[in-house]
């Protein structure tokens, strides 16, 4: 994920910049008074190959079908297949669309779909749009395409420093972001999970890649996900791109420049579908579409999303009740556990209330396991400082903690094959209750997800799906992690790494120097826990 904490640190640490910003901006910046037409998701498209695939795949009436996508290449193939095969509608809602190979490939396919007559609605959070703004301006000039932005910056959009000044002067509004990720094609298939649209979420970065999780959805739940998209698309927190930023050129010029970027085989390399079966032994979506049948696990499920007004984009607007949040649904599901809770969260800062919920579970005899990133592995190491404040307390309650480590993942043959020479980082956001209820979506277990950002998630009642995902992650035989334990003699924690060669015990934070820890500790003094 792009580093949100760098924004926060610039704000709190750079006092001179903050003072200048307040002097220049002074107060909340006005949002444009822009008319926007309301629109709704289109019904399943008759004759669409995606609709035909779902109909032929045997999902029982009244249920939904799910297929897990833990591997990046298969997750990218699924999205590109939906983009290329849609005949009527594409609705995409994302936190981050990158100016890289994956991002440009997605924008190219959106243009191509629009040229086929497909209605394209692209909804992005505005935090990281600066690097793709010219492409978005060009994309919206094509027939059948509309681009909208959530909670936009209104000043200094074209420079990092300008956006920072706007951020500081309008902090209360701009601190709230849309973290949702949803992809809906022809009203027939949807993808929901943790991945943004950038190279590192699909194992295509040379430096560092995310280990993530999506689910492909068909059947009853798809219209519900589409209605959640509509709620955002038509909300007062969302603005047409043209109302926020005027086009920087005539449409033909913008379109030619766009084509030079997205059609250039160097800038946007060709992406071939995977040749081998996935971790569950099935082919990628592009191939199952040709075969005419997609493996689905049928199940009952719900889809939930925070209200767009959680962002509070209008001055004086009351925040929604906590009972209306994804976090509340998540906690409510965890509290129904009878035997086991397993949580995967790359950024894990449970807060006082989160600790109490887990204590309640432990008091009922429920086994609790949490898998997160080690400080050295995380792309947001300052978040790990917040997590450390709860580590000993959680271990004292009997919560089992595991941290993904760069060196441990290199010793895991499967992870090493997937990651190559790049560093691996956990980004999957999912939880399992009694190995029956599966929760997958965009929500991290932290205060930012609970109170500031908007999120989306699905809850699926399926022991079969839970087993498929946990087996794919080898959750009963973690190899690429350290288990964190209290030191036997007391006074701190230690890290245990286990493999065929035996057991390794470390008494200091793995792969992090004393100087790095001290710098992060200093930074943490300037950042409140709810901003991590």
């Amino acid at each position: 994920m792009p580093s949100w904490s760098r924004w926060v640190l610039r704000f709190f640490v750079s006092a001179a910049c903050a003072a200048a910003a307040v002097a220049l901006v002074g107060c909340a910046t006005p949002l444009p008074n822009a008319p926007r037409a309301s629109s709704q998701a289109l019904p399943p498209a008759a004759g669409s190959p995606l609709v035909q695939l779902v109909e032929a795949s045997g999902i029982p009436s009244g249920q939904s079908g799910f297929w897990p996508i833990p591997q990046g290449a298969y997750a990218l193939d699924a999205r590109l297949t939906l983009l290329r095969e849609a005949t009527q509608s594409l609705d995409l809602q994302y936190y981050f669309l990158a100016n890289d190979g994956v991002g440009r490939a997605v924008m190219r396919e959106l243009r191509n779909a629009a040229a086929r007559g497909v209605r394209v609605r692209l909804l992005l959070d505005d935090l990281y749009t600066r690097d793709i703004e010219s492409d978005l301006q060009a994309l919206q000039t094509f027939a059948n395409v509309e681009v909208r932005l959530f909670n936009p910056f209104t000043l200094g959009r074209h420079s990092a420093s300008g956006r920072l000044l706007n951020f500081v002067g309008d902090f209360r509004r701009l601190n709230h972001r849309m973290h949702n990720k949803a992809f809906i094609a022809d009203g027939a298939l949807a993808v929901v999970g943790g991945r943004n649209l950038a190279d590192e979420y699909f194992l295509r970065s040379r430096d560092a890649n995310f280990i993530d999780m999506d689910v492909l959805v068909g059947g009853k739940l798809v219209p519900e996900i589409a209605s959640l998209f509509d709620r955002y698309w038509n909300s007062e927190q969302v603005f047409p791109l043209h109302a926020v930023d005027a086009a920087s050129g005539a449409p033909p010029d913008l379109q030619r420049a766009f084509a030079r970027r997205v059609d250039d085989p160097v800038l946007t390399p060709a992406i071939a579908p995977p040749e081998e079966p996935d971790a569950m032994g099935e082919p990628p979506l592009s191939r199952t579409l040709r075969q005419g049948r997609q493996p689905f696990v049928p199940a009952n499920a719900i889809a939930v999303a925070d209200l767009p007004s959680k962002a509070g984009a209008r001055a004086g607007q009351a925040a929604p009740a906590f009972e209306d949040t994804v976090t509340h649904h998540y906690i409510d599901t965890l509290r129904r556990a009878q035997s086991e809770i397993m949580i995967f969260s790359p950024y894990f800062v449970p807060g006082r209330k989160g600790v109490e919920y887990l204590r309640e579970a432990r008091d009922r005899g429920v086994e609790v396991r949490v898998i997160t990133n080690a400080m050295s592995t995380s792309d947001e190491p300052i978040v790990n400082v917040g997590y450390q404040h709860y580590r000993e307390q959680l271990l004292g309650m009997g919560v089992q903690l595991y941290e993904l480590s760069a060196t441990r993942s290199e010793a895991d043959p499967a992870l090493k094959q997937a990651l190559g020479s790049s560093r691996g980082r956990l980004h999957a956001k999912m939880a399992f209750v009694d190995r029956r209820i599966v929760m997958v979506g965009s929500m991290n277990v932290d205060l930012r997800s609970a109170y500031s950002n908007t999120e989306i998630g699905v809850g699926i009642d399926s022991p079969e799906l839970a087993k498929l995902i946990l087996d794919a992650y080898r959750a009963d035989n973690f190899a690429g992690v350290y288990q964190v334990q209290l030191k036997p003699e007391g006074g701190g924690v230690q890290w245990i790494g286990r493999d065929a060669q035996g057991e390794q015990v470390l008494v200091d934070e793995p792969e992090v120097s004393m100087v790095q820890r001290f710098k992060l500790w200093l930074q943490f003094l300037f950042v409140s826990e709810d901003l991590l």
Side-chain angles (χ1 to χ4, degrees):
M1 178 188 298
S3 182
W4 165 258
S5 66
R6 284 197 286 270
W7 281 85
V8 177
L9 289 173
R10 289 180 197 174
F11 169 48
F12 284 99
V13 178
S14 180
C17 180
V22 172
L24 286 171
V25 181
C27 60
T29 51
L31 287 161
N33 185 17
R36 50 215 184 263
S38 176
S39 65
Q40 277 69 44
L42 299 176
S48 163
L50 303 179
V51 173
Q52 293 170 354
L53 179 69
V54 173
E55 291 174 346
S57 296
I59 301 172
S61 176
Q63 287 193 311
S64 303
F66 300 90
W67 191 250
I69 321 178
Q71 295 158 284
Y74 298 82
L76 182 55
D77 176 80
R79 287 168 171 84
L80 293 177
T81 299
L82 297 180
L83 288 167
R84 290 165 180 163
E85 299 296 334
T87 63
Q88 180 169 282
S89 65
L90 287 164
D91 293 333
L92 279 68
Q93 179 181 14
Y94 280 92
Y95 176 62
F96 177 45
L97 172 63
N99 183 17
D100 62 13
V102 165
R104 287 187 291 270
V106 168
M107 288 188 282
R108 179 189 63 212
E109 297 302 334
L110 288 173
R111 177 205 60 188
N112 294 348
R116 299 194 305 269
V118 176
R119 187 191 72 173
V120 172
R121 297 190 295 175
L122 176 61
L123 173 56
L124 298 173
D125 184 82
D126 195 36
L127 185 62
Y128 293 108
T129 57
R130 184 177 66 88
D131 288 344
I132 60 167
E133 191 127 21
S134 60
D135 287 325
L136 295 178
Q137 288 179 349
L139 194 56
Q140 71 174 355
T141 66
F142 292 99
N144 303 315
V145 177
E146 187 173 0
V147 179
R148 294 187 181 183
L149 302 176
F150 183 90
N151 202 13
F153 288 76
T154 53
L155 296 176
R157 296 186 52 79
H158 300 290
S159 71
S161 58
R163 287 192 174 213
L164 178 60
L165 294 178
N166 193 181
F167 178 76
V168 174
D170 202 358
F171 177 77
R172 181 179 177 184
R173 176 175 69 87
L174 291 172
N175 178 50
H176 300 278
R177 309 311 320 172
M178 182 189 77
H179 196 237
N180 309 42
K181 291 103 175 171
F183 191 125
I184 309 141
D186 277 354
L189 287 168
V191 177
V192 177
R195 289 183 173 96
N196 290 295
L197 301 176
D199 284 349
E200 58 265 32
Y201 297 91
F202 302 96
L203 302 182
R204 296 183 66 85
S205 170
R206 283 178 289 184
D207 299 321
N209 285 290
F210 289 117
I211 300 165
D212 219 320
M213 184 68 199
D214 294 314
V215 287
L216 179 70
V217 187
K220 181 182 177 183
L221 200 66
V222 175
E224 297 179 30
I225 297 170
S227 70
L228 296 175
F229 177 95
D230 286 347
R231 179 189 292 171
Y232 277 80
W233 184 259
N234 298 312
S235 72
E236 63 179 12
Q237 286 76 29
V238 167
F239 295 81
L241 173 62
H242 63 77
V244 175
D245 193 20
S248 56
D253 296 331
L254 290 171
Q255 292 178 10
R256 281 192 291 269
F258 179 84
R260 285 195 295 270
R261 287 187 291 272
V262 302
D263 294 329
D264 185 322
V266 176
L267 291 175
T268 313
I271 300 172
E275 293 293 333
E276 300 298 321
D278 64 16
M280 288 71 63
E282 297 291 343
L285 181 61
S286 58
R287 195 163 301 145
T288 62
L289 186 67
R290 293 197 301 272
Q291 295 172 355
R293 187 177 178 85
Q294 166 67 31
F296 279 116
V297 177
N300 294 316
I302 61 168
V304 293
D306 291 320
L307 296 172
S309 56
K310 183 181 178 183
R314 297 295 189 188
Q317 191 175 52
F322 185 69
E323 289 73 19
D324 293 327
T325 65
V326 175
T327 300
H328 171 76
H329 287 280
Y330 185 95
I331 292 169
D332 189 55
T333 303
L334 294 184
R335 295 178 97 169
R336 298 201 296 268
Q338 298 297 310
S339 59
E340 182 189 52
I341 293 170
M342 195 180 309
I343 296 171
F344 290 74
S345 182
Y347 317 109
F348 183 75
V349 186
R352 179 181 56 83
K353 288 184 179 179
V355 170
E356 289 309 309
Y357 295 137
L358 295 180
R359 187 188 301 278
E360 288 177 12
R362 290 294 302 132
D363 288 345
R364 299 197 314 272
V366 175
E367 180 181 343
V368 179
R369 287 197 277 174
V370 175
I371 300 90
T372 189
N373 282 310
M375 179 181 285
S376 62
T377 306
S378 178
D379 63 319
E380 296 281 10
I382 191 171
V383 176
N384 202 278
V385 180
Y387 150 67
Q388 288 177 18
H389 287 183
Y390 299 98
R391 198 159 50 190
E392 290 187 46
Q393 185 180 5
L394 291 167
L395 290 170
M397 292 159 38
V399 173
Q400 300 174 44
L401 299 179
Y402 297 86
E403 296 178 4
L404 182 70
S405 157
T407 55
R408 295 299 303 167
S409 62
E410 289 177 0
D412 182 327
L415 279 176
K416 180 63 178 174
Q417 180 180 10
L419 295 168
S421 60
S422 70
R423 293 176 66 84
R425 294 166 170 163
L426 181 69
H427 195 261
K429 301 115 176 0
M430 54 188 181
F432 302 83
V433 174
D434 296 340
R435 305 209 174 200
R436 171 182 168 179
I437 305 297
V438 181
M439 293 183 284
V440 178
S442 67
M443 192 199 89
N444 297 300
V445 180
D446 59 15
L447 299 186
R448 171 160 287 283
S449 286
Y451 297 107
S452 296
N453 290 348
T454 69
E455 309 286 355
I456 187 173
V458 296
I460 309 158
D461 186 351
S462 172
E464 181 183 351
L465 185 69
K467 186 177 189 311
L468 282 173
I469 298 173
L470 291 173
D471 285 352
Y473 277 82
R474 299 191 306 286
D476 291 315
N477 186 27
F478 291 129
V481 300
Y482 285 107
Q483 182 174 4
V484 186
Q485 298 178 346
L486 293 170
K487 290 180 179 177
E489 66 276 11
V493 301
Q494 62 186 13
W495 289 260
I496 312 296
R498 299 182 180 91
D499 53 33
Q501 284 68 49
E503 187 173 274
Q504 179 188 20
V505 180
L506 302 177
V507 296
D508 292 316
E509 199 88 36
E511 306 146 39
V512 181
S513 70
M514 182 71 73
V515 172
Q516 289 172 308
R517 291 199 295 271
F518 180 68
K519 286 180 178 178
L520 290 169
W521 177 79
L522 282 179
Q523 292 173 357
F524 188 78
L525 296 178
F526 295 94
V527 182
S528 64
E529 187 174 275
D530 62 336
L531 294 175
L532 295 175

